[in-house]
Amino acid sequence: MVHLKDVKNQLPNEIKALFSELKVTQFLKQAHISKQKGYSVAVLFTFLFSLVFKGKTLNQVLSGREGDQYMKKDIVYRWMNDPHNNWRLFLLRFSASVIEKLHALTDTKTHLRTLILDDSTFYRNRSQEVPGLARLWDHALKQGYKGYRMLTLGFSDSYSFIPIDFGLLSGQKKVNQAITEKDQRTVGAKRFKESSQKMPEVALEMVQRALDQGIYATHVLMDKWFTSPKMMDQLHEMGIHTIGMVKNGKTQYLFHQRLYKLEELYAKSTKEYTQEAIISSIVVKPSSGKNPVKIVFVKNHNKKSAWLAIMTDDLDLSSQEIVKTYSVRWDIETFFKASKSLLNLTKETQTRHYQALICHTTIVFTRYILLSWQQRCANDERTLGGLFYELGDQIKELDWSAALIELVHIIQVVSEESGKQLQDFITSQLQHWVDTLPHYIKAYLPNLVCET
């Protein structure tokens, strides 16, 4: 039997060491994430964190045959639903700390430091009562769904991606108009209000929070949904440049005292004869913007007769540097894929509370940060997915190792309550058994010893 007090011991060995190295529980305290009585915050957080490596959902663990070994379901959900827990502050400070450690491993002359902004689908198709739930459109699958838009801001140095902040945003076609919290002064209530804001407004607030937290980056990378002259000007005022894909729309640009649309600028741009995907470039001023921008036209590999345009307000970059920097934006796409496919972003909890969704998403982001840091420190050639599956295998081994340690402990307790002669016999037999165990078992059982 594995008791709740050994929940921390059910983490993979590598992850358990990272918890101490990165001081995860200390950042929980700094963010004022607390619990008045009963199980500690560290135990609850570690329990939820380790679920994915067990291959089970929260409901399967707490309602299954081993459920009596853990806390009651109400205790977990009550803590996850607490609107006073500031999960945004925890993720900001924790990610900033890890990014600072990454800087020590990064050559500032050759490596990039960028913020990446993008949104992804957050499906809750089987839900009906979650506050702020809306009917939205999945542009990738070309179908509607119920859920949220998960707007995410992350950091990348072209080697490691670290999620910094996120928001679960609603839409106009709300399924549930309910308000989550009666006390509108709590951080949970303020977070829920954010779900009704426009996406560009939330995005700008995220970037400002990251910069205020001391996270250093030179550029913000965006896709064409976010890139606009107004957005770029607002980021420029914050002291950070923008590189983003720009859509071929109605926006006009001033070139040689005349206004042109993007497709017209393509014919006016200067050709660049390189072996790369770059076709041409041009420096113009948006009619609705304050600062001049450089537009680089590149080949569209999905359609040879078409082109794509990348725009930046950093005129000091060459066309090759602009394209190279923008290619780092793909890191956030792999993050979305790993979070949903491997780390159970949308499938692990059945909660109907908005604040619990925020809690769960933060824990998933924390899992990714620890895996990313582990991969970076070891110069690991394994993919993040391969590393995840190997850590999951460790959990299965740790289950029986903890059970054996518990069994030895029970035998020792029984021995202590026996007579001196029987106690000596039990101890000698137990010690003999431990000594004859194969070495590969002893390696997983460092605590399996008998005291005479």
Side-chain angles (χ1 to χ4, degrees):
M1 180 181 293
V2 182
H3 291 295
L4 184 61
K5 65 181 181 181
D6 293 320
V7 165
K8 279 192 173 183
N9 294 330
Q10 296 307 297
L11 287 171
N13 287 332
E14 295 176 64
I15 294 295
K16 186 163 57 174
L18 291 181
F19 255 66
S20 299
E21 179 187 357
L22 300 181
K23 303 178 181 178
V24 176
T25 55
Q26 291 187 26
F27 285 104
L28 289 170
K29 293 178 182 178
Q30 290 182 20
H32 310 295
I33 297 175
S34 60
K35 196 171 180 294
Q36 293 182 353
K37 59 182 179 179
Y39 300 103
S40 68
V41 168
V43 168
L44 288 170
F45 184 89
T46 307
F47 167 70
L48 292 171
F49 181 94
S50 64
L51 286 177
V52 68
F53 300 106
K54 298 178 183 295
K56 297 180 180 180
T57 65
L58 177 60
N59 187 61
Q60 287 173 336
V61 171
L62 297 182
S63 302
R65 61 180 183 179
E66 299 178 352
D68 58 341
Q69 301 174 17
Y70 300 99
M71 68 285 286
K72 297 296 183 182
K73 188 186 300 185
D74 290 347
I75 296 174
V76 179
Y77 280 116
R78 189 160 53 243
W79 180 68
M80 294 177 69
N81 295 346
D82 190 345
H84 299 91
N85 290 336
N86 196 337
W87 291 107
R88 169 163 282 156
L89 182 59
F90 162 75
L91 184 61
L92 270 173
R93 291 189 175 180
F94 177 59
S95 59
S97 173
V98 176
I99 290 169
E100 187 65 29
K101 293 179 180 294
L102 288 176
H103 287 340
L105 306 176
T106 305
D107 184 353
T108 56
K109 296 181 180 179
T110 59
H111 290 85
L112 303 169
R113 293 178 178 177
T114 61
L115 296 178
I116 307 176
L117 189 65
D118 202 2
D119 70 301
S120 182
T121 57
F122 192 95
Y123 276 64
R124 304 298 291 179
N125 278 329
R126 298 179 63 184
S127 299
Q128 191 72 27
E129 300 178 5
V130 182
L133 195 70
R135 297 189 183 278
L136 301 167
W137 182 256
D138 188 335
H139 295 279
L141 299 180
K142 307 297 182 184
Q143 65 181 23
Y145 71 96
K146 284 194 300 182
Y148 303 91
R149 301 296 299 179
M150 187 178 72
L151 179 63
T152 305
L153 179 70
F155 170 89
S156 176
D157 59 2
S158 76
Y159 280 98
S160 301
F161 178 84
I162 303 295
I164 297 172
D165 198 357
F166 71 92
L168 297 181
L169 306 185
S170 184
Q172 294 182 350
K173 299 180 180 179
K174 287 186 173 58
V175 177
N176 192 337
Q177 299 277 1
I179 299 176
T180 56
E181 308 299 337
K182 295 180 180 179
D183 188 351
Q184 296 299 300
R185 298 170 297 178
T186 62
V187 291
K190 293 176 182 178
R191 193 85 183 252
F192 180 69
K193 286 181 181 179
E194 177 188 83
S195 67
S196 298
Q197 290 182 238
K198 294 182 179 179
M199 200 173 295
E201 295 176 2
V202 180
L204 289 170
E205 292 173 0
M206 285 184 178
V207 174
Q208 187 63 64
R209 277 193 295 266
L211 297 177
D212 291 343
Q213 197 61 43
I215 297 174
Y216 172 72
T218 57
H219 298 82
V220 178
L221 310 182
M222 306 181 295
D223 65 7
K224 58 186 177 182
W225 198 96
F226 296 95
T227 307
S228 68
K230 182 180 179 181
M231 185 81 162
M232 295 178 73
D233 287 341
Q234 289 174 310
L235 290 170
H236 190 85
E237 292 176 359
M238 295 180 187
I240 190 167
H241 291 294
T242 305
I243 301 178
M245 190 74 70
V246 57
K247 55 187 175 182
N248 187 10
K250 298 180 180 180
T251 303
Q252 293 184 317
Y253 303 87
L254 184 63
F255 179 68
H256 289 175
Q257 298 182 346
R258 287 190 58 185
L259 292 174
Y260 299 92
K261 292 182 179 180
L262 189 62
E263 57 186 359
E264 296 172 327
L265 285 177
Y266 175 71
K268 300 286 183 181
S269 59
T270 303
K271 298 294 185 290
E272 297 195 13
Y273 300 97
T274 66
Q275 296 180 349
E276 301 176 8
I278 301 170
I279 301 174
S280 59
S281 64
I282 191 171
V283 177
V284 295
K285 186 177 184 300
S287 59
S288 58
K290 300 177 182 178
N291 302 300
V293 297
K294 182 176 182 178
I295 301 176
V296 179
F297 295 95
V298 297
K299 298 175 183 177
N300 187 345
H301 293 293
N302 295 326
K303 189 176 181 181
K304 294 184 178 180
S305 61
W307 45 263
L308 301 171
I310 302 174
M311 184 167 66
T312 181
D313 59 345
D314 189 354
L315 304 184
D316 294 332
L317 294 180
S318 65
S319 298
Q320 289 78 10
E321 290 172 327
I322 292 171
V323 174
K324 178 183 177 181
T325 304
Y326 184 74
S327 65
V328 178
R329 199 196 72 83
W330 186 251
D331 287 356
I332 200 170
E333 301 292 350
T334 59
F335 162 72
F336 288 145
K337 180 65 175 178
S339 298
K340 295 176 181 179
S341 301
L342 299 177
L343 304 182
N344 289 348
L345 177 63
T346 59
K347 299 178 181 179
E348 193 169 83
T349 176
Q350 300 176 0
T351 180
R352 298 184 180 90
H353 201 286
Y354 184 84
Q355 180 68 7
L357 291 178
I358 295 293
C359 169
H360 166 67
T361 306
T362 303
I363 292 174
V364 171
F365 281 29
T366 305
R367 290 169 182 164
Y368 190 94
I369 292 173
L370 265 71
L371 288 172
S372 185
W373 173 249
Q374 165 64 20
Q375 185 185 37
R376 180 66 174 272
C377 286
N379 293 321
D380 210 324
E381 296 181 357
R382 294 173 292 181
T383 62
L384 204 67
L387 181 61
F388 164 77
Y389 285 119
E390 290 187 26
L391 291 173
D393 291 339
Q394 278 192 31
I395 281 292
K396 297 176 183 178
E397 295 166 341
L398 284 166
D399 284 339
W400 61 258
S401 67
L404 280 179
I405 292 172
E406 187 68 21
L407 177 61
V408 170
H409 176 69
I410 292 172
I411 294 175
Q412 288 176 329
V413 171
V414 172
S415 173
E416 291 172 358
E417 297 177 355
S418 305
K420 183 68 170 63
Q421 185 176 359
L422 182 58
Q423 182 178 349
D424 292 342
F425 174 76
I426 293 175
T427 301
S428 64
Q429 291 296 313
L430 190 58
Q431 187 64 59
H432 175 70
W433 174 69
V434 171
D435 293 339
T436 56
L437 284 174
H439 291 292
Y440 72 90
I441 293 182
K442 287 183 179 180
Y444 278 99
L445 305 174
N447 298 322
L448 191 55
V449 294
C450 300
E451 297 181 1
T452 58

